[in-house]
Amino acid sequence: MEIVSERPFSGFLVYELKQSPEDFQVEEILKPDWLKESGKWTIFRLKKSGWNTLDALQGIAKESHVSLNEIGYAGKKDRHATTIQHISAEQILQVPKELSSVLKLETIGRGTRPLTPEANAGNRFVLTLRNLIEREEDMIRRNFEKVSISGFINYYDSQRFSRFHPEFRLPIFPYLQGDPETSLKLLLTDPFPGEKKQARDRKKELQKLWGNWGACEKLSGTKLESRIFSLLKREKNLTQKVYSESISLFPEEELLMLLSSLQSLVWNEFVSELLSSESSSGVWIKTKSGSLFFSEESLTRTFPPDYNLPVPGAPGIKTLEYSNKEMNFLSYVLVRLSLEESVFEKSPFSKVKMKSFERNLKVIPEDFAMEEFETDDLHPGRKKVKITFRLPSGAYATMLVKRLMLRAEI
């Protein structure tokens, strides 16, 4: 196994994305066999703008007098976008009147089971890239042709790591290393991108008051926070087990995201090291969660279009179908992250599982098209361009954009 110490880094061509929700349009594609003429569940089409999926569903659940767990969905969609997705419930759902301008709900059929991510066949995208420099148009066109033919590496993008911390990386890391208290503190007090100032200020105050559980309880912003701080206040002998039990009170959705972000981070670093070892040319890019390697040559020369690489998970990496070389690189990444190989054998939370699954190493976008460059109405003297494409479920459109706007000639 050869690890390259000197890494050539690349930046990006000048561009802006998501300057308005209309600049990032996503339409979820539902698998046909999930939509029936009759069934116990009603299937709805939800169109939203400027809202993330869970916040929108919480508003709908409250208005419809159902619990959030009674609403099924095929996928989560970004807040900084205009999106169309599908949800299900056993009763008719309603949108709060005050949100009727940003949330639209339409009944489209019935189902014999609640929607889950398995119902998602992929997504159609219509993106507008803005603030483009005219002299860089030719390079964008060249990159477009390359992506059309060779695709892009199927990394998880920064949306997957909203809770990334510069010191601890992810909240799950301290937990796995025997420090649940630090993990709990990160979960309850570390602000994440997109939070409103009021929420960020409250979390900063909680950081200062950490350990004064009565004061923290008074600052609680949710029922969960109040319950946890109340538990800590009553406990006379605070041990790491108590902090661990407090984390177990989090909803399954959040616990699953903690584990998923861990798996995704390991997979990203694993793939980067593996591909860089196979390529005689390529570049790295810097992201908030770590460096990622981009290379066309390694993908077209070594790995076929349908090459899958398992995302580490249960029942453990030694049981997965990795080659000896792949296993060596995965082991190297785990050591670098101070993780044991046994970390994936069993979920640390009884509520959720950390299963391994196959993931395509690269993605070639379907129906990939780029319109003519136009004058950007938001940036005088600059250009804009619209691109459309379809991606399978789990692939990130923003990662396609990163490859499209990569400054390096690879």
Side-chain angles (χ1 to χ4, degrees), residues 64 116 134 164 247 260 272 276 285-286 295 318 366-367:
S64 307
T116 69
E134 187 171 359
F164 190 84
I247 293 176
S260 297
S272 288
S276 66
I285 65 167
K286 294 181 178 180
S295 172
K318 292 187 182 299
E366 296 183 29
D367 305 322

Side-chain angles (χ1 to χ4, degrees), residues 106-345:
E106 174 190 3
T107 301
I108 62 171
R110 308 290 293 182
T112 56
R113 48 187 167 166
L115 293 183
T116 69
E118 293 182 2
N120 191 341
N123 297 283
R124 296 186 186 92
F125 295 88
V126 180
L127 309 186
T128 300
L129 304 178
R130 295 183 178 273
N131 199 27
L132 308 177
I133 299 176
E134 187 171 359
R135 67 175 179 271
E136 295 184 340
E137 286 183 23
D138 288 344
M139 191 166 186
I140 296 174
R141 290 190 179 95
R142 290 197 297 273
N143 284 346
F144 171 79
E145 294 300 327
K146 293 175 182 178
V147 175
S148 298
I149 296 170
S150 300
F152 62 99
I153 303 171
N154 194 22
Y155 291 120
Y156 293 93
D157 210 349
S158 56
Q159 303 94 304
R160 190 74 160 188
F161 311 110
S162 60
R163 289 188 175 274
F164 190 84
H165 190 279
E167 179 182 355
F168 300 102
R169 300 180 73 89
L170 298 170
I172 190 65
F173 274 69
Y175 187 97
L176 295 172
Q177 292 159 359
D179 186 9
E181 180 186 1
T182 296
S183 181
L184 180 65
K185 186 176 181 180
L186 289 171
L187 290 171
L188 294 180
T189 72
D190 190 42
F192 54 85
E195 274 197 307
K196 294 180 180 179
K197 184 179 183 302
Q198 182 179 2
R200 296 198 306 271
D201 290 345
R202 187 179 65 83
K203 287 187 174 182
K204 288 179 182 178
E205 192 63 25
L206 284 175
Q207 289 177 358
K208 297 177 184 177
L209 294 171
W210 190 261
N212 184 344
W213 307 124
C216 287
E217 184 181 13
K218 292 179 181 178
L219 272 179
S220 297
T222 65
K223 291 181 179 179
L224 175 63
E225 288 183 3
S226 178
R227 183 181 178 187
I228 289 175
F229 289 131
S230 176
L231 183 154
L232 296 175
K233 184 178 67 174
R234 295 194 309 269
E235 187 63 48
K236 294 181 180 180
N237 182 26
L238 280 176
T239 63
Q240 292 296 343
K241 181 180 179 182
V242 175
Y243 292 115
S244 178
E245 291 172 348
S246 297
I247 293 176
S248 70
L249 297 176
F250 278 75
E252 291 183 16
E253 184 80 26
E254 292 193 45
L255 296 179
L256 182 60
M257 184 51 65
L258 289 178
L259 300 180
S260 297
S261 61
L262 168 68
Q263 292 176 277
S264 303
L265 182 69
V266 171
W267 196 85
N268 273 7
E269 299 209 6
F270 171 31
V271 169
S272 288
E273 296 295 348
L274 178 65
L275 293 183
S276 66
S277 74
E278 295 285 353
S279 177
S280 59
S281 64
V283 294
W284 294 77
I285 65 167
K286 294 181 178 180
T287 73
K288 76 172 186 178
S289 58
S291 301
L292 300 177
F293 184 77
F294 277 78
S295 172
E296 284 192 354
E297 182 182 354
S298 65
L299 288 171
T300 54
R301 178 170 55 85
T302 307
F303 300 98
D306 58 349
Y307 190 89
N308 289 335
L309 200 62
V311 176
I317 61 176
K318 292 187 182 299
T319 65
L320 300 177
E321 295 183 1
Y322 295 122
S323 67
N324 289 336
K325 182 173 185 177
E326 290 168 352
M327 190 65 191
N328 286 337
F329 275 103
L330 178 55
S331 297
Y332 165 76
V333 167
L334 292 176
V335 170
R336 190 172 67 195
L337 294 174
S338 301
L339 294 172
E340 301 288 338
E341 289 187 1
S342 60
V343 70
F344 296 109
E345 293 177 2

Side-chain angles (χ1 to χ4, degrees), residues 345-396:
E345 293 177 2
K346 183 180 179 182
S347 170
F349 308 120
S350 59
K351 290 183 180 180
V352 295
K353 297 181 180 179
M354 185 167 48
K355 293 181 179 179
S356 174
F357 55 93
E358 298 286 322
R359 183 173 177 85
N360 290 115
L361 189 63
K362 71 173 182 177
V363 174
I364 298 177
E366 296 183 29
D367 305 322
F368 192 24
M370 183 168 65
E371 298 184 2
E372 294 298 320
F373 288 78
E374 299 178 339
T375 300
D376 189 347
D377 49 307
L378 298 184
H379 299 275
R382 296 295 178 93
K383 295 294 188 74
K384 67 178 181 180
V385 70
K386 184 176 290 185
I387 58 174
T388 58
F389 52 92
R390 172 177 169 172
L391 296 179
S393 175
Y396 285 75

Side-chain angles (χ1 to χ4, degrees), residues 92-111:
I92 298 299
L93 300 177
Q94 296 180 333
V95 170
K97 290 182 179 180
E98 64 271 19
L99 300 181
S100 60
S101 62
V102 292
L103 301 180
K104 306 289 184 182
L105 205 55
E106 174 190 3
T107 301
I108 62 171
R110 308 290 293 182

